[in-house]
Structure formats: C-alpha cells, structure tokens
Amino acid sequence: MLGRLTIEALPLYSAVAMGGALITVFGTLAVMAVITWFKAWGYLFREWFTSVDHKKIGIMYVTLALIMLLRGFVDAIMMRTQQAIAVNSEGYLPPDHFDQIFSSHGTIMIFFMAMPFLTGLINIIVPQQIGARDVAFPYMNSMSLWLTAAGAALVMVSLVIGKFSTAGWTAYPPYSGIEYSPYVGVDYWIWAVLISGIGSTLTGINFIVTILKKRAPGMFLMRMPLFTWTALCTAILMAFAFPAITVVATMLELDRVAGMHFFTNGDGGNMMMFANLLWIWGHPEVYILILPAFGIYSSVVTTFSSKRLFGYTSLVWATCAIAILSFTVWLHHFFTMGSSANVNAFFGITTMIIAVPTGVKVFDWLFTMYRGRIRFHVSMMYTIAFIVTFVIGGMTGVLLALPPADYLMHNSTFLVAHFHNMLIPGALFGYFAALNLWFPKAMGFKLDEKWGKRSFWCWVIGFYLAFMPLYLLGFMGMPRRMEHYDTAAWQPWLIVAFVGAVLILFGLAFLIVQIAVSFRNRAALRDWTGDPWHGRTLEWAIASPPPPYNFAVLPKVEGLDAFHMMKDAGTAYQRPARYEDIPMPKNSLFGMAIGAFAFVLGFAAVWHMWWLVAASAILCAVIVIIRASSDNTEYVMTAAEVEAIENQRFEDLAKAPPPDLEHIPVGVPGAPIPGTSS
Amino acid sequence: MVTQPRASKLFAIAAVCGLAAVTAGCGGDAIPIANPKGPVGLAERDILFRAFLIMLVVIIPVFAMAFWFAWRYRATNKQARYEPDWMSNRIDAVAWIVPTLIVIALAYHVWTSTHALDPYKPLESAGKPLEVQVVAQDWKWLFIYPEQGIATVNEIAFPSGAPLTLRITSDTVMNALIIPALGGQIYAMAGMQTQLNLLADEPGTFVGRNTQYSGDGFADQHFTAKALSEADFEAWVAAAKQAGDTLDATAYAALAKPSSKHPVTYYSSVEPELFVSIIEKYDHGLMTHGAMAAE
C-alpha cells in the first residue's frame, strides 16, 4: 500500500537534517496559520490559485522563485560553511548530507528559482509589451504554473520524507543508477524534473504562439521590444530543449525501476549517451536562463539612459544567433570523455563562436549609454554590474572552451566559479533588475530604492568575494564537491568565499526588507501614471497594475519604442470614443488540480506506490478531457464595466505628480503645456 | 608544442612568462596548474594564459567604457552631450568585427592545440616509455604495471623524463583522473578504456585525484604520484616485488569493495590480463567505443 515508505524515511539520521525538516514543516504550518488567521483562503483561491490571468500567474511564478531562492541559498551557505572549516576534519556535515545539499542547490537554483523567475517575468510583461490582452492559452498557462509548483514541492518534501539525490544536479549515471543509488533521492530528482519540465515545455509552446499570433496591429516582428524577442527565443528553446530532459529522465527512471539498461555499466548500457542527451537540453537551458535577462538589460539600459537602444537590429540577430548556436555546443561539457581531437576542437570552436553575438550585445548596451542621460536606478546599477562582471565570466568560459585548458580545469572550482559568474550576473542580476523595473507595473507601487541599493551592493561585493577565490582554488587543483580536504593552503580562500556568502545573505535579507518596506509605504510609492520610469514600450502605456484585459482598446503600433512614439506624438493617454465588450477567460480550478495530482503521482512513484501512480495519472487525464470538452470557458466584460475601470484610470492620471525628467515628451501627465511659461 | 604565427610569438612568450612569474611568486607549488612540472601541463597552462591575454583586447575596453560612460553620461552631468536617437552603423559593425577577429584567432589556436595536446597522443622523449593500467574503484586508485608485473593502490611511480602512458578504466561509477602538476584529466568509465599521456621533467612528488564526484569517499580519493630517477624507479619496483601479495581474482574482489582512505598497498605479482577482464566484465564482448579507441 505504501510502497517502500516506512517510518525510516524521517530524517532521524542527523540533527542538521532534522532541523531542516522541522523548519520546512513549521514554516509551512506558520504560513497556513497566517492565511487562516486572516481568513484569506477564499480570497487566495478565487483571485489567485484559480486565476488564468497572465499577470497573476506571473506574480505567483516570481513568488515561488523567491521562496526557492531562499531555500537554494540556505544550501549554498551551508556548503560554504562546511568547506570553510573542513580542513583535515569532517566539518559539521557528513558526506551523505553534504552531497544532498550540493545536489539540491543546483536543482533548485536552475529548475525552481531561475526557471519560475524568468517564466514569471515573461508572463507578466510580454503580453503587455506586444499589446495583447492575454496569452494564447490562459488555462494551459495556469497548468504550467502548477506543474512547476508540484516539482518544487517534491524537492521540498524530500527534506522531510526520505532523502534527496546525492548525484548532483546533472545526475550522471551510473552513479544515479539503481546499483549505486538505490534509495529514493534520485527518484525525487527525476520526478521533480519530469513534472516541472512538462510545465516548461508547455510554457514554451504558449509563448511561441502568444508572441507570433497575439501582437497588436502594427507590432511587426522587427518592432517588438528586445525583451519580447528574447522571450520568443527562450520559448523556442524551451519547446525544443525540454523534451530532451524529459526523455533522458524517463529513460533513467526506466533503468531504475524497470530493469532497463540505457545508461548502466553492463548489459550494453552506455553512460556517455546520458551525458550527451542531458547536455543537449542543458546547454540551451543556459540560454533559456540568460536570454530573458539580456532582454531585461536592454529594457533597463534604454529606459534609464533615456535613449534609443543602440543597434536594435544587431541585438535581435545576435539573440537569434545565440539561440541557434546554443544547440551546437553541448559536447564542451565533457571534453574529458575521450573524444577525438577533431570532435573536441569542433565543439571548442562552436562554443567560441557564441562569444561573438554575446560580445556584440555587450558593446551595444555600452553604446546605448553613450550620449545618454543615465539615471542610476537600482535596475541600472544591476545592469552596469552585470556588464562588468559578465565579461569576466565570458572570458573564463572561452578559456574552458579551449579543450586543452579544459583538461586542466574541468570539474575544478574554476568551473564552479565560471558558471556562477555567468548565471549570477547573467541571469539573477537581470531578474533583480526586472524586479525593480517592473514591480510597480505588477503591483501598482514602486520598490524602495534605498534598501534596493543596499541589497545591490551586498550582492555584487558578496559575489566577487564568494567566487573569485574559487577561480584561484581551481588553479590550486581543488575539485568541486569536496566535503572535506587536507590541503591547508585552500582554507584561507574558502574562508574568503564564506565571507562572500555571508554578504550575499545580507543582500537577500535587504531584498526582503526592501519588499516589506515598500509594501508598508505603498501609498507614498504609488505609481499613478503607470509609467514611473519614462518607459518606451507598451507595458507603460496602461495602468499599474493593469486592468484584467490590459488594453481597453488595442494599441496601434507605429514603430519601435511604440509608447515613446505615442508620447512624442501626443497620442498617449487619449480617451477612446467608445468602449467595447471584451471576452475574458474564466478562472479555473483545473490547472491547480492537475498540479496537485501530478505532485501525488510523483510522490507515489518515488515511493513505488504504483496503485496511487495509476490513480493520479487517470485523474489527470480525466481533468484534461473534461476541460477540453467544455465550451463554457469565457465570460464577457461589458463595455460599461470597462468604462468604469478606465474612468478610474483617468482620475488616477490626474493625481500624478509632475515628472522628474529633464526632457519630458509632450503629452505626459503633468508636463508643461507647450506655449506657457514655467 | 604549439606552433603559432611569428609576429605575436615574442609578445606571447613575454606575457606568459610574466603571468607565470606572478602566479609562481604568490604560491609556488600550492598552485600546481600555474607551476606545472611537465611539458603537457606547461603547454596546457600556456594556452590558458595566452587566450586570457588575447581576450584582454575586449575585456579592458569594456571595463573602461562601462565606467567612463556611466560617469560621463550620468543624468546630473548637464555638460555631456545628449543625443537620444544617436546610432552609428560604423560602430555597430566594429562591435561585430572585433569579437569575430578574436574568435578566428582563438579558433586557430583551438584547432592546433587540441590536436597537439590530444591526451591519446604518445609523447616523444628520450626516456623509455612506461605503460600503467589504471582502475578507478570506490574510493581508491589501482595501478597495474603490466611490464613489471606489479600493482599498487593509491601510489603511482614512474621515471621522470620518460613518457608515461596511462590506460584507464573504472570498476565503479564514472571517475576522472588528474595529476594537476603534470596536466591532463580524462574520465574513467566502466567497460571502456581511456588514455592519458603525461611526462614529468624532474623527479618530484605530486598529488593525483579523482575530480568526478563518486560518492561518500570521494573527498579522500587521492593518490601520490612519484616521478623518480631511473635508478630510484628500479629500486621502487624491486621494493614492490618484495611485498609478497598477489593480486589474483580473489584478492581483486576483496579490493574492489568500497573503502575510504585505503592505505598505499603493493602487490608483487598480478594475474595476467586482469585489466582486460575488468573491462570485459561490463562489455560482454560488445566492443564499445573505448575499447575500439584503444586498438
């Protein structure tokens, strides 16, 4: 009945693990108690959990990402603490626990922090940037969210019931096979990745269709904001790359439970095939994480330099080139597998070619700043920190793309430093920039800048302290994933890295303070105009937060930087002659139900409760069929309702304080009327 | 080992020496990658340093521009020119051309150096080549000397100044073998054989490791690599032959069981074809990739 689930699944093996489990359990209970105290369950279900509104789904994605960022960071600082003290000693974490931590850190940061973060940002912003009222498939969007949440929940549950994988976030066999990892850890990894991976594939499909089919009149492809372009390329990568990991995780699971031998040591299995298949997903995945950040930086740099984006066409082609090339480099993750010199050299060169479009982007951002009027908003500070830091990571990436250099540095802390140097400035700083840039759009009030800048400095300085020593440690011959070591010369640098992690802890704490302080001061920070930064693209043309339908009247796009042109032409903020009825998608409980049953399915499969696997699979299928057979999925928002909301919008605009910009386009609320003296 | 255009040679040599001097100055043997003790590690390091220097052509201007533009064009500086629609196709073209040229230079470098430093390529040297068969186990390294008929655990010795050929497999999960001071690194995989060719210039003692995470005992899975003079090596082999134990099928089965911090052990004789039998155990005669590559 319960498969292999017994009382021994509780983490009684170590006090630290028990502590983690208790924090997880009591944290969850505390959140539930607070919701109950405020009698908020009904509100949350009606307005959020069942919502198919892309903006609310986006906010929920970002919330999930921030929660998982905390969890992933706890893993990180535990590892840094262990390595700072574990010279010629065992430290405070036994190997079995340390190995779970580095595995869950990577898995969480990639799949359940970065993926939901960028998916949330794309959800909130892309439909607004292209002048659309919603995504192409709103209900599927909700389903994707809940599948991602189900995967994240599985990883969290593994803290309390059973153990997580010790095979690292890439789960290479034969180590991850049943012979060497017989317990549930790898199964948790497989099912978390499988379930959330399906969500990501569906998100990819959803946004390809949304961007190609739902653009406002005049929003030609070469007029799309760069963030939308990067979102399109990311969506294409998601749809094409994620099936690879779905397949490879399924094959690994079949090896484990059905006695197959795809990747085992014996019976014709071949572990090298796993590495190839995994990285055919894994390298495009890097660009899935980074491309949206490139789009964010483009938005930030043009907005806060008050200047047109330099080299828009180049940036578009560079984005597309990166997306295509990302499928041609996967072998550089295992130059040391014994491929011939021809093969290694080929993949070394393709890898370097990616540096060309990436370099173009860096120069185009810099020349957007040139002859601009740069305002040092938090998001602009993240952008400058990104440019400077990212080129260091890019350089070490090119070094690792030289196969002979990779023979030396592979699997060392140099590699760890390199990919953190790509993903923290290249992805996470971008998401933070986006948080500061688009928070008012999503929530209706700006984020406190003082705490934002404090958080920024802790993150940037903390990053350098935490990861620059790892480059040096790579030269000192330190492999990654060392639970303890006996080379005393490494310790001082590992202590520096630990100090960096502590600074990042402050960065995270200040980020939370920033959100809390901003929430408390939300009246003062209210964004009345919907355009707090003098933006250039369509999302700033509507209220903050936007009405459920985004645009009462679909905008007519005349060129790149559509909203900037409207403001210049004086056509922004015009009342339409009349409003129309707008058909809207109905909320649905089904997305959440599918997520819930997928979670049960994953949990049951981890513990070999096959009857429950079958039952939840059938329930998922039944829900899909019921929903697909339903014609009653929309309702109509009447012209009168729309008009009432829009009237409120024009009242708010009148309350706007005068803009703080020197060169104010005509037609902006509060701008001096031409012809009158000031 | 790597040929390159003459024009840049002098500069490259000077720069590499400079970098090497700096790193040597602040660490010496604590930084084995920067202070290699053999031609393979040296060539690999030089490629790393040289590529680093080539890339400074991009890095330094980016740093300079990022800080200069941010300062010069800050909103409070009303002196600076403000051209909100400024665009220059010429600069845009330069943004494509400069990285392209650098990548072409590096690509040439990749092609030649990857072939020159193919880990499977036997090294040329005056000394008599030595072949050692290496088996990764949980969590230790077994070294079999087919010519000398001995085997050791967690210690490998070889004559300095002579090419060393390692034929590597695994009797457990995937491992990766590296001796940072000498260079290289290649995976060890069950049922397959990979190869690494190394050479130590002078006698010395180095650390060798598994770098591919392999389970509980991973952190302690390192070994001692001793480059010895010809005479010392002969003495070392003779001493191993005195050890008495034979590595036959039974002894091997006991050794292959997982163990951490396994003490250095010598076997005075080894069952013939033991290494091949360890590979074939997984292979069922299927002739997988690694075995073919070995032929």
Side-chain angles (χ1 to χ4, degrees):
Chain A
M1 189 69 181
L2 287 178
R4 51 178 170 164
L5 179 58
T6 64
I7 194 72
E8 278 162 31
L10 293 174
L12 302 168
Y13 58 95
S14 105
V16 181
M18 195 70 209
L22 289 176
I23 291 170
T24 310
V25 171
F26 283 108
T28 312
L29 288 176
V31 170
M32 292 169 88
V34 169
I35 295 173
T36 311
W37 176 261
F38 285 107
K39 300 193 171 64
W41 285 109
Y43 164 76
L44 284 177
F45 266 93
R46 277 191 312 276
E47 295 294 323
W48 292 90
F49 298 161
T50 59
S51 176
V52 294
D53 180 336
H54 67 94
K55 300 176 288 292
K56 287 183 173 170
I57 287 175
I59 291 168
M60 286 188 279
Y61 263 120
V62 173
T63 310
L64 173 68
L66 290 173
I67 293 168
M68 297 311 280
L69 174 64
L70 289 179
R71 162 73 207 277
F73 177 76
V74 170
D75 289 340
I77 202 162
M78 285 176 81
M79 286 188 282
R80 287 272 70 93
T81 312
Q82 168 75 11
Q83 289 199 330
I85 59 178
V87 59
N88 287 315
S89 81
E90 300 297 315
Y92 73 106
L93 291 172
D96 181 46
H97 194 188
F98 182 81
D99 304 342
Q100 288 182 59
I101 291 173
F102 71 65
S103 304
S104 66
H105 171 76
T107 307
I108 285 173
M109 288 304 201
I110 299 282
F111 291 96
F112 302 114
M113 190 286 286
M115 286 302 292
F117 214 141
L118 72 92
T119 309
L121 294 169
I122 290 174
N123 255 293
I124 298 170
I125 296 304
V126 163
Q128 301 182 49
Q129 278 198 336
I130 60 174
R133 288 192 171 133
D134 208 327
V135 296
F137 309 112
Y139 156 72
M140 191 164 92
N141 204 12
S142 158
M143 200 170 109
S144 300
L145 166 72
W146 289 106
L147 287 173
T148 307
L154 272 180
V155 178
M156 292 307 282
V157 164
S158 75
L159 264 183
V160 183
I161 306 169
K163 290 179 177 179
F164 194 65
S165 170
T166 60
W169 75 278
T170 51
Y172 269 26
Y175 183 85
S176 58
I178 196 77
E179 188 185 350
Y180 297 99
S181 299
Y183 198 44
V184 292
V186 176
D187 300 292
Y188 268 119
W189 180 87
I190 288 173
W191 286 99
V193 164
L194 269 180
I195 291 170
S196 67
I198 292 168
S200 297
T201 309
L202 296 179
T203 297
I205 294 168
N206 208 340
F207 278 90
I208 294 172
V209 180
T210 302
I211 295 172
L212 292 182
K213 302 296 285 184
K214 302 270 286 184
R215 281 167 289 143
M219 179 61 84
F220 308 136
L221 285 175
M222 289 311 279
R223 286 179 180 176
M224 294 197 314
L226 211 80
F227 178 68
T228 300
W229 261 111
T230 57
L232 175 63
C233 288
T234 289
I236 291 170
L237 292 183
M238 280 188 194
F240 283 87
F242 263 87
I245 195 168
T246 305
V247 166
V248 75
T250 306
M251 289 162 86
L252 185 61
E253 180 69 2
L254 288 171
D255 270 8
R256 289 176 61 82
V257 298
M260 297 195 181
H261 291 280
F262 290 112
F263 311 124
T264 53
N265 273 348
D267 294 323
N270 194 325
M271 65 202 81
M272 299 193 295
M273 193 53 77
F274 181 94
N276 278 282
L277 284 171
L278 181 98
W279 288 112
I280 283 170
W281 159 80
H283 204 85
E285 167 68 9
V286 175
Y287 290 98
I288 290 172
L289 305 179
I290 288 180
L291 282 180
F294 284 177
I296 293 159
Y297 292 128
S298 303
S299 287
V300 169
V301 82
T302 174
T303 303
F304 290 100
S305 301
S306 300
K307 187 161 165 281
R308 166 184 152 185
L309 200 56
F310 182 92
Y312 169 83
T313 314
S314 276
L315 283 165
V316 169
W317 285 112
T319 305
C320 297
I322 291 172
I324 292 163
L325 288 170
S326 73
F327 279 103
T328 65
V329 301
W330 78 90
L331 192 129
H332 72 211
H333 294 271
F334 42 91
F335 280 144
T336 54
M337 206 178 248
S339 300
S340 73
N342 282 342
V343 172
N344 278 351
F346 173 84
F347 282 94
I349 291 170
T350 55
T351 303
M352 289 187 178
I353 291 173
I354 295 197
V356 175
T358 313
V360 168
K361 283 177 166 249
V362 169
F363 285 118
D364 283 352
W365 290 317
L366 285 171
F367 280 104
T368 304
M369 289 159 65
Y370 182 70
R371 294 184 185 167
R373 277 274 187 271
I374 301 168
R375 285 165 282 150
F376 291 96
H377 182 255
V378 180
S379 56
M380 188 65 196
M381 292 168 69
Y382 272 117
T383 304
I384 295 169
F386 150 76
I387 290 175
V388 172
T389 315
F390 189 76
V391 291
I392 300 173
M395 176 181 71
T396 56
V398 173
L399 296 181
L400 287 169
L402 290 147
D406 182 75
Y407 301 153
L408 282 177
M409 308 316 275
H410 182 64
N411 271 344
S412 75
T413 57
F414 186 94
L415 176 74
V416 175
H418 160 67
F419 67 71
H420 284 88
N421 199 341
M422 300 312 274
L423 290 176
I424 293 180
L428 188 61
F429 284 3
Y431 307 158
F432 286 159
L435 194 67
N436 282 281
L437 175 72
W438 284 318
F439 191 89
K441 183 48 63 187
M443 303 301 288
F445 56 96
K446 289 177 272 190
L447 280 174
D448 183 90
E449 288 209 33
K450 197 172 65 186
W451 283 102
K453 287 183 180 170
R454 285 174 187 164
S455 172
F456 163 83
W457 286 113
C458 289
W459 267 101
V460 172
I461 298 169
F463 166 80
Y464 276 93
L465 282 179
F467 292 103
M468 293 302 137
L470 296 195
Y471 280 124
L472 179 64
L473 285 163
F475 277 97
M476 297 171 88
M478 182 177 179
R480 64 199 295 202
R481 297 173 173 170
M482 293 285 273
E483 187 260 342
H484 63 268
Y485 51 95
D486 50 15
T487 312
W490 295 348
Q491 194 187 25
W493 300 107
L494 288 164
I495 292 174
V496 175
F498 168 75
V499 172
V502 171
L503 260 182
I504 291 176
L505 170 68
F506 280 99
L508 254 181
F510 293 166
L511 179 71
I512 295 167
V513 172
Q514 183 195 22
I515 293 172
V517 165
S518 313
F519 186 74
R520 209 183 51 201
N521 297 340
R522 60 191 181 282
L525 292 166
R526 177 87 164 85
D527 170 22
W528 294 105
T529 61
D531 181 22
W533 321 120
H534 311 291
R536 307 170 74 87
T537 40
L538 282 177
E539 75 269 32
W540 306 110
I542 49 180
S544 294
Y549 47 78
N550 295 350
F551 296 89
V553 177
L554 290 184
K556 293 231 170 358
V557 177
E558 307 286 347
L560 187 62
D561 289 344
F563 182 52
H564 181 76
M565 293 178 75
M566 288 176 191
K567 285 191 283 189
D568 263 351
T571 55
Y573 307 108
Q574 279 181 337
R575 263 180 212 269
R578 60 186 204 87
Y579 294 101
E580 286 177 348
D581 291 354
I582 298 175
M584 298 289 295
K586 271 186 182 170
N587 282 5
S588 168
L589 187 61
F590 288 156
M592 192 185 177
I594 284 187
F597 288 123
F599 169 79
V600 174
L601 186 155
F603 185 79
V606 167
W607 293 99
H608 295 181
M609 302 178 221
W610 300 117
W611 64 272
L612 190 53
V613 172
S616 33
I618 291 168
L619 281 167
C620 283
V622 168
I623 292 172
V624 170
I625 292 167
I626 291 175
R627 166 75 199 196
S629 322
S630 169
D631 294 328
N632 181 24
T633 59
E634 287 188 345
Y635 71 100
V636 171
M637 207 164 203
T638 62
E641 286 173 287
V642 173
E643 185 163 11
I645 294 173
E646 292 298 308
N647 284 341
Q648 180 62 45
R649 155 81 167 147
F650 283 99
E651 276 175 41
D652 287 347
L653 274 174
K655 292 181 206 159
D660 53 356
L661 196 62
E662 187 190 356
H663 299 274
I664 309 150
V666 188
V668 171
I673 297 155
T676 62
S677 60
S678 54
Chain B
M1 285 190 93
V2 182
T3 56
Q4 55 169 336
R6 191 168 295 178
S8 65
K9 202 164 188 173
L10 208 63
F11 165 77
I13 290 171
V16 167
C17 291
L19 269 176
V22 169
T23 47
C26 36
D29 288 350
I31 312 182
I33 306 281
N35 302 282
K37 304 295 181 198
V40 177
L42 183 70
E44 288 172 349
R45 182 205 71 178
D46 284 354
I47 286 163
L48 194 78
F49 284 178
R50 208 176 295 132
F52 169 74
L53 291 167
I54 293 173
M55 270 180 295
L56 289 181
V57 177
V58 174
I59 306 296
I60 291 173
V62 166
F63 268 65
M65 283 194 283
F67 290 113
W68 179 45
F69 290 174
W71 174 250
R72 170 82 186 150
Y73 298 103
R74 64 196 186 277
T76 49
N77 179 14
K78 306 295 180 200
Q79 310 299 318
R81 272 165 84 174
Y82 176 50
E83 294 184 43
D85 293 318
W86 181 78
M87 172 70 202
S88 159
N89 288 330
R90 206 176 293 171
I91 291 178
D92 201 26
V94 171
W96 281 96
I97 290 165
V98 172
T100 306
L101 291 177
I102 290 174
V103 164
I104 289 171
L106 287 171
Y108 170 78
H109 221 67
V110 169
W111 191 263
T112 52
S113 67
T114 306
H115 282 85
L117 288 163
D118 184 352
Y120 281 58
K121 198 167 134 181
L123 300 171
E124 280 165 29
S125 162
K128 180 169 166 280
L130 174 71
E131 185 183 309
V132 180
Q133 299 163 337
V134 186
V135 184
Q137 297 178 330
D138 281 340
W139 290 280
K140 55 197 168 280
W141 292 95
L142 169 65
F143 302 98
I144 303 170
Y145 289 70
E147 214 173 306
Q148 288 73 11
I150 58 167
T152 63
V153 177
N154 281 347
E155 182 178 290
I156 180 174
F158 45 90
S160 62
L164 171 68
T165 297
L166 301 176
R167 296 183 177 275
I168 304 165
T169 190
S170 167
D171 196 10
T172 174
V173 302
M174 189 191 286
N175 279 229
L177 184 140
I178 190 170
I179 304 171
L182 298 185
Q185 167 159 202
I186 199 133
Y187 287 160
M189 296 178 285
M192 289 173 256
Q193 179 193 275
T194 48
Q195 250 194 70
L196 197 55
N197 286 284
L198 298 171
L199 196 154
D201 289 329
E202 303 288 333
T205 303
F206 318 110
V207 180
R209 292 181 188 283
N210 170 25
T211 66
Q212 179 78 22
Y213 170 74
S214 61
D216 283 355
F218 165 69
D220 291 312
Q221 194 183 350
H222 41 77
F223 61 90
T224 311
K226 289 180 173 172
L228 304 172
S229 67
E230 192 68 43
D232 285 350
F233 177 68
E234 296 301 332
W236 180 85
V237 171
K241 283 202 184 283
Q242 301 300 313
D245 291 333
T246 298
L247 189 61
D248 54 17
T250 325
Y252 181 80
L255 179 67
K257 292 209 175 78
S259 62
S260 286
K261 299 183 182 175
H262 197 281
V264 173
T265 312
Y266 302 99
Y267 295 94
S268 53
S269 61
V270 184
E271 191 180 280
E273 302 299 303
L274 177 64
F275 184 69
V276 174
S277 73
I278 292 167
I279 295 177
E280 283 182 346
K281 179 165 72 168
Y282 297 105
D283 201 14
H284 297 300
L286 284 171
M287 286 295 282
T288 48
H289 164 86
M292 282 195 286
E295 297 311 315

